[in-house]
Amino acid sequence: MNYRHVFHAGNHADVFKHAALTLILEHLRSKPQPFAVLDTHAGIGAYDLTSEGAQRTKENEAGAALVFGRPLAAAPDYAALLAAMNPDGLTAYPGSPEIAARMLRADDRLILCELHPDDAAALKVRYRNDPRLHVHRRDGYEAAVALSPPPERRGLVLIDPPYEAPDEAARVAATLAAALRRWPTGVFAAWYPIKDQAIGDELAAAARAGGFPKTLRAEFLAYPMDGAAMAGGGLLIANAPWKLDEKLDALCRELHPILGEGHGSWQIEWITSS
């Protein structure tokens, strides 16, 4: 309830996560049938990088500021979205709700869940005039299960918590397992921070033990792991779209010399294959 993403908006982990999100949304848009996106920890949608909170940490300077203005051949929609939001220089950064909202078509839907009362109120104001968007002040874990499957039967559930609680990874794993039982064909993407391998290994083990359908583990580290600072971020993606592994590998190859001065690394591997 106390976490505010404005302090971290546009950092190196956001760049990988949000560029990857555009690749998943591109896949969903490639078919004519409508789809739904459920964002379990939505925040406020977009962030002012000139605000006191963002300026206090300036984490975007080692992330979005380094990719802004580049074409990003591996994630052109992400680069184009950053450019569209910032015609006069980088001052705003899109969270996952803003990215999804800008990539929805007329018949697609976006469900945003946020428990923080101020952030939920900000979301409702920001998107009040868009009938495709539905904002709930609601526990995102509960919603991921209760709202699966959506009427569209196509779509994505993005689980992106702050990992402040010691049992956060276990909650993510349990939510994925329960939601996949209800919606075995849905795309589920769970993000996690990387200081060491603990969270990624826990989620991967849960995917294997739970027999998750075709699940991809994708991690991009801007810096070497030291067990203390956040080196990068990862995504565990169940029902990963076709060729997403190849697209994410191309993205990591392009980001590697830009973020972390080339000192980072990445891994893309299938945790389950069916």
Side-chain angles (χ1 to χ4, degrees), residues 6-273:
V6 67
F7 297 112
H8 313 289
N11 66 13
H12 56 81
D14 265 4
V15 171
F16 174 65
K17 171 175 60 179
H18 291 142
L21 173 60
T22 66
L23 298 178
I24 298 172
L25 293 172
E26 284 173 10
H27 170 81
L28 291 171
R29 282 161 48 106
S30 69
K31 297 181 180 180
Q33 297 88 351
F35 64 85
V37 177
L38 170 61
D39 191 334
T40 63
H41 296 74
I44 62 173
Y47 300 89
D48 178 3
L49 297 180
T50 70
S51 67
E52 186 275 334
Q55 286 294 305
R56 187 187 307 175
T57 58
K58 296 186 177 182
E59 290 191 15
N60 72 91
E61 292 183 357
L66 297 178
V67 300
F68 179 67
R70 296 174 181 264
L72 280 187
D77 282 354
Y78 175 73
L81 198 154
L82 277 183
M85 288 185 68
N86 296 281
D88 301 314
L90 184 65
T91 59
Y93 188 78
S96 48
E98 187 70 13
I99 292 170
R102 287 174 178 252
M103 294 186 70
L104 292 184
R105 302 164 302 183
D107 294 331
D108 302 325
R109 285 192 309 129
L110 174 59
I111 303 102
L112 303 174
C113 296
E114 177 55 53
L115 265 180
H116 195 290
D118 294 341
D119 290 357
L123 279 175
K124 289 181 179 180
V125 170
R126 183 174 185 87
Y127 299 116
R128 63 184 180 277
N129 295 322
D130 192 334
R132 304 169 304 166
L133 274 69
H134 309 271
V135 177
H136 303 275
R137 186 184 170 196
R138 181 175 185 176
D139 178 77
Y141 292 119
E142 178 270 331
V145 179
L147 300 181
S148 292
E152 294 85 354
R153 300 283 170 161
R154 294 185 65 235
L156 165 70
V157 175
L158 175 64
I159 303 176
D160 181 17
Y163 290 89
E164 287 188 314
D167 66 341
E168 202 84 68
R171 290 197 70 190
V172 170
T175 299
L176 286 170
L180 279 163
R181 284 194 292 270
R182 292 175 60 94
W183 189 17
T185 60
V187 180
F188 290 81
W191 178 84
Y192 54 93
I194 299 174
K195 296 180 179 179
D196 53 35
Q197 292 287 3
I199 297 176
D201 286 351
E202 181 175 349
L203 293 178
R208 293 189 185 100
F212 286 13
K214 199 173 181 181
T215 299
L216 188 66
R217 178 180 181 176
E219 299 182 345
F220 178 81
L221 281 69
Y223 305 98
M225 288 183 291
D226 64 6
M230 188 164 74
L235 288 163
L236 191 81
I237 308 166
N239 288 313
W242 186 56
K243 291 193 173 181
L244 183 63
D245 56 337
E246 297 176 15
K247 293 178 180 179
L248 289 176
D249 184 69
L251 173 64
C252 291
R253 289 181 186 277
E254 192 167 3
L255 292 178
H256 177 253
I258 303 171
L259 302 179
E261 300 179 336
H263 297 305
S265 61
W266 70 92
Q267 68 165 357
I268 312 290
E269 63 174 328
W270 291 102
I271 299 303
T272 66
S273 59

